[in-house]
């Protein structure tokens, strides 16, 4: 999810997407701990997606 897509979401959608992303990241980490992922770059991508969503939420709260 790109930053331009994140800016178009409402606050409720941002919170929902953030929850989904955190769950997906947690699942990926557990799967990677058990047996190495075929593409470990997925972890980085999910972590960055979480950061984008959290940053946008914080920015909107401050306004």
């Amino acid at each position: 999810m790109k930053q331009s897509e994140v800016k178009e979401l409402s606050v409720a959608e941002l919170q929902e997407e953030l929850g989904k992303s955190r769950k997906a990241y947690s699942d990926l980490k557990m799967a990677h701990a058990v047996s190495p992922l075929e593409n470990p770059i997925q972890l980085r991508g999910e972590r960055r997606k979480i950061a984008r969503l959290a940053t946008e939420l914080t920015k909107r709260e401050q306004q």
Side-chain angles (χ1 to χ4, degrees):
M1 180 172 280
K2 295 184 179 183
Q3 187 64 28
S4 59
E5 295 170 350
V6 171
K7 288 182 179 183
E8 295 172 2
L9 298 175
S10 69
V11 174
E13 290 172 330
L14 282 172
Q15 291 171 340
E16 180 183 339
E17 195 66 35
L18 184 59
K20 288 180 186 177
S21 293
R22 285 184 172 155
K23 173 86 171 94
Y25 180 67
S26 176
D27 292 344
L28 279 173
K29 276 182 63 172
M30 291 298 282
H32 188 60
V34 173
S35 64
L37 291 176
E38 188 174 312
N39 184 5
I41 302 300
Q42 291 173 326
L43 290 168
R44 183 189 335 163
E46 202 63 40
R47 197 170 54 239
R48 288 180 177 180
K49 181 179 176 183
I50 291 169
R52 282 188 197 103
L53 293 167
T55 300
E56 186 65 26
L57 266 175
T58 303
K59 186 194 307 184
R60 290 186 188 185
E61 287 174 0
Q62 290 177 352
Q63 289 179 348

